[in-house]
Amino acid sequence: MSYDLAVWEGERPADDKLAGRIFNDLYDRYLDSETHEPASERISAYVAALLQRWCDITEDSEETSPWSAGPLIDGARGPLMYFGMSWNMPRKPRPMRPASQS
């Protein structure tokens, strides 16, 4: 079992209703489209940061990845990323690689 998350570039929506409309518009434009637009630079950097901390499920031999599908970048198009996390993993994912120090 998993749950889905959406991350996109832009201003924070004023409320849940507006967030839903923005998400639906982005999903239709970027993920439910015949054309394949690569992930934006910011979304690609976000995916890279996630994968610095937790390995991609396609590389997970110890079953510690929180992602429910992979490669993780496959859920990223343009300014939108839509991805799943395993239901039981978000509470206990373990870093596979050291996180970047800011």
Side-chain angles (χ1 to χ4, degrees):
M1 187 124 109
S2 67
Y3 61 96
D4 298 336
L5 301 168
V7 175
W8 63 84
E9 294 179 37
E11 296 294 319
R12 184 179 184 149
D15 56 38
D16 291 345
K17 189 173 182 177
L18 179 58
R21 282 197 308 261
I22 292 170
F23 168 72
N24 287 333
D25 290 345
L26 289 170
Y27 188 95
D28 290 346
R29 181 173 175 190
Y30 293 101
L31 295 176
D32 201 22
S33 170
E34 296 292 322
T35 59
H36 173 81
E37 182 169 333
S40 70
E41 188 175 317
R42 291 179 73 191
I43 292 294
S44 293
Y46 180 72
V47 172
L50 291 174
L51 294 175
Q52 282 291 312
R53 181 138 189 194
W54 298 287
C55 73
D56 199 288
I57 195 167
T58 61
E59 302 170 359
D60 187 13
S61 61
E62 297 180 25
E63 298 183 9
T64 58
S65 177
W67 321 123
S68 62
L72 192 60
I73 193 69
D74 284 358
R77 301 278 190 282
L80 173 66
M81 180 179 176
Y82 186 65
F83 59 106
M85 291 185 75
S86 297
W87 184 254
N88 63 340
M89 293 304 287
R91 287 182 231 132
K92 62 177 185 176
R94 294 184 307 228
M96 295 298 293
R97 299 174 193 99
S100 301
Q101 299 293 322
S102 300

